[in-house]
Amino acid sequence: MPKNCNFIEKLREVGLRPTKQRVKMCEVLYNREKTFHFTINDLVKLLSEKMNQKISLATVYNTVHAFEKKGYLKEISIDSHKSYFDTNTSAHHHFFDEDTHELIDCDESDIDKISIRKNITGKKINSVEVLVRVASDNQTQK
Amino acid sequence: MPKNCNFIEKLREVGLRPTKQRVKMCEVLYNREKTFHFTINDLVKLLSEKMNQKISLATVYNTVHAFEKKGYLKEISIDSHKSYFDTNTSAHHHFFDEDTHELIDCDESDIDKISIRKNITGKKINSVEVLVRVASDNQTQK
DNA sequence: ATCTACATTATAATAATTCTAAACTGTTGA
DNA sequence: TCAACAGTTTAGAATTATTATAATGTAGAT
Ligand SMILES: [Mn+2]
Ligand SMILES: [Mn+2]
Ligand SMILES: [Zn+2]
Ligand SMILES: [Zn+2]
């Protein structure tokens, strides 16, 4: 989603009422250069601290899920104990930094197309995603 | 872990006291032909219903995490809302059936080795795992 | 048999998420 | 323009998964 676009229009296009809470959340999520990976907690903090916007927690959850359903956000499973969301809704792979708990997008050139030779009868493949877990390289005892 | 092995010995080997709760959990987890993928709830149900073994929920959590730390179990992140564990602790890929919420192991021949061309300075790769989400193929409107 | 460190248990506490029901607001069309 | 309605927000309660607490029990050693 480009910078400075009209979030009111965007929301209307998918049938979401452009309430001020939703518009503010769009600003936080999409007025940025790069993909944003976040937890609900990250988002609540950004809204209250950086944006000075008091939004009830229930609304943050509701809105995130509304955005997810409309294709504005994608949920990423990295850690069974917390939900991560991604403003990059296309199919893509991730690095996960186990030290900082940060997600990093891969692009096409980082990982070759995965070829799946297994087939499950009656089932179709919905997605194929790779997760590369990394951590600091601290056994350099030269 | 092979069938009918001596769980008491196995537990001692890694420094876990073979209490009756732990041995019973070993039986449920490892006396089976194939890899077992489960949630804590699945395991509690099996213990109480099938094995007629009353074990406190805290013990099930404690023991699962003790087994995880000792390399008897591996946690799998599939769904941010629930923890899945796997008796197959080797590096391997999965299919996840979104209809039944079942995990299926891939073997070597199912997916080629993944080549990672991205490098993050100061970080080493801990694991590379693929998750293939599948669901029933219901758009056969011939 | 006794001792001690570790394990189990019931229960309370915490954390993430969802529900509820009342108040509020964007949109529509008279 | 503005009443009416449907959809939205909200505070707070409820629910669910998980972890902590502290008393009791037990495996393994002597
Ligand atoms: Mn969710
Ligand atoms: Mn866990
Ligand atoms: Zn991403
Ligand atoms: Zn597995």
Side-chain angles (χ1 to χ4, degrees), chain A residues 26-72:
Chain A
C26 281
E27 287 171 13
V28 172
L29 295 175
Y30 303 108
N31 267 343
R32 47 178 78 229
E33 298 296 331
K34 295 173 52 183
T35 296
F36 182 38
H37 298 103
F38 63 95
T39 65
I40 295 286
N41 246 328
D42 296 335
L43 181 53
V44 168
K45 258 191 204 126
L46 275 180
L47 284 164
S48 70
E49 292 174 7
K50 295 253 160 63
M51 298 304 266
N52 216 60
Q53 180 71 28
K54 159 83 187 107
I55 300 184
S56 110
L57 186 57
T59 299
V60 176
Y61 275 100
N62 287 343
T63 306
V64 164
H65 286 129
F67 284 5
E68 187 187 6
K69 188 181 307 182
K70 296 304 186 175
Y72 279 20

Side-chain angles (χ1 to χ4, degrees), chain A residues 75-83 95 97-99 104-106 109-112 114-118 120 122-137 139, chain B residues 75-83 95 97-99 104-106 109-112 114-118 120 122-137 139:
Chain A
E75 191 165 5
I76 307 286
S77 291
I78 295 298
D79 176 330
S80 311
H81 305 163
K82 207 177 294 187
S83 286
F95 275 57
D97 185 327
E98 299 193 312
D99 302 320
I104 301 155
D105 277 358
C106 291
S109 60
D110 292 328
I111 296 178
D112 293 330
I114 312 297
S115 63
I116 310 288
R117 261 189 286 286
K118 190 184 181 72
I120 297 180
K123 304 281 174 177
K124 66 172 192 311
I125 290 177
N126 280 345
S127 68
V128 176
E129 291 185 9
V130 178
L131 181 63
V132 180
R133 291 177 189 272
V134 301
S136 74
D137 190 1
Q139 60 282 17
Chain B
E75 190 163 6
I76 307 286
S77 292
I78 295 298
D79 177 329
S80 311
H81 304 161
K82 206 177 296 187
S83 285
F95 275 57
D97 185 326
E98 300 193 312
D99 302 319
I104 300 155
D105 276 357
C106 291
S109 61
D110 293 329
I111 294 178
D112 292 331
I114 312 297
S115 64
I116 310 288
R117 261 189 286 284
K118 191 185 181 71
I120 297 181
K123 303 282 174 178
K124 67 173 192 310
I125 291 177
N126 280 345
S127 69
V128 176
E129 292 185 8
V130 179
L131 182 64
V132 181
R133 290 177 188 272
V134 302
S136 75
D137 189 3
Q139 62 282 18

Side-chain angles (χ1 to χ4, degrees), chain A residues 118, chain B residues 1-2 26 28-38 67-68 70-77 84-95 103-110 127 129-130:
Chain A
K118 190 184 181 72
Chain B
M1 208 166 294
C26 281
V28 172
L29 296 175
Y30 303 108
N31 267 341
R32 47 178 78 229
E33 297 297 330
K34 294 172 53 183
T35 295
F36 182 39
H37 298 102
F38 64 95
F67 284 6
E68 186 187 8
K70 296 302 185 175
Y72 280 19
L73 288 175
K74 186 174 163 187
E75 190 163 6
I76 307 286
S77 292
Y84 280 76
F85 293 89
D86 192 339
T87 56
N88 178 355
T89 58
S90 70
H92 63 286
H93 306 307
H94 288 100
F95 275 57
L103 272 172
I104 300 155
D105 276 357
C106 291
D107 58 37
E108 297 287 322
S109 61
D110 293 329
S127 69
E129 292 185 8
V130 179

